[in-house]
Amino acid sequence: RLAHRSMVEADEGMLTAIMRNLLSNAIKFSWEGGKITIRSTEHKDHIQVEVADQGKGISRENQKKLFRVDESYTTSGTKKEKGTGLGLMLCKDFVEKHGGKIWVESEENKGSCFIFTLPLAQTNK
């Protein structure tokens, strides 16, 4: 089955870094045998991309710290993997440079869904 292809004007390296970081985190924080889902939805003027896992999840308190420069937050993965917390800051910076937004929806012990938007290319409207 052919999928509809949405067009965005984006730096390929930055977009690759965003996806690599979000997927890496989804793997790191998923339980063994867990499912990771990637989906995109086209809206009138933007595309929304979601990377969801069924892992550890993040408390509401810590969700508020994830994308902030003035708050340091990092936690170990399901197999005690270490992280710096800088990857999500980089994702935020790259998404915003393209005129998009990024956020998380998560529940502890049920998983996380990182969502970002990018404006559609002018030729795709």
Side-chain angles (χ1 to χ4, degrees):
R1 184 176 110 176
L2 292 175
H4 175 75
R5 291 181 178 241
S6 299
M7 297 294 292
V8 295
E9 289 182 29
D11 179 277
E12 184 178 353
M14 287 185 189
L15 192 52
T16 299
I18 294 165
M19 289 304 297
R20 183 177 24 223
N21 187 278
L22 294 180
L23 281 169
S24 175
N25 283 351
I27 292 166
K28 184 190 314 183
F29 294 106
S30 288
W31 306 112
E32 181 106 16
K35 179 179 172 184
I36 296 170
T37 305
I38 303 168
R39 69 185 145 255
S40 65
T41 309
E42 186 174 313
H43 297 270
K44 182 179 177 185
D45 61 352
H46 70 276
I47 187 167
Q48 180 170 306
V49 180
E50 302 176 12
V51 178
D53 66 60
Q54 298 173 328
K56 292 174 60 166
I58 307 163
S59 70
R60 288 212 183 270
E61 184 64 30
N62 287 330
Q63 288 176 43
K64 296 174 189 174
K65 300 175 185 178
L66 286 179
F67 299 103
R68 295 185 50 175
V69 155
D70 60 337
E71 289 273 351
S72 176
Y73 176 73
T74 184
T75 188
S76 297
T78 55
K79 293 187 177 181
K80 307 296 183 222
E81 305 95 329
K82 299 281 186 206
T84 62
L86 297 175
L88 289 176
M89 290 302 305
L90 190 65
C91 288
K92 180 179 189 283
D93 186 48
F94 287 174
V95 166
E96 289 178 350
K97 280 189 186 311
H98 286 88
K101 296 178 183 172
I102 187 168
W103 67 95
V104 65
E105 295 174 359
S106 184
E107 191 173 335
E108 286 183 280
N109 298 313
K110 293 194 177 180
S112 300
C113 183
F114 283 83
I115 305 155
F116 68 94
T117 63
L118 294 174
L120 289 170
Q122 295 295 323
T123 58
N124 205 35
K125 289 185 178 177

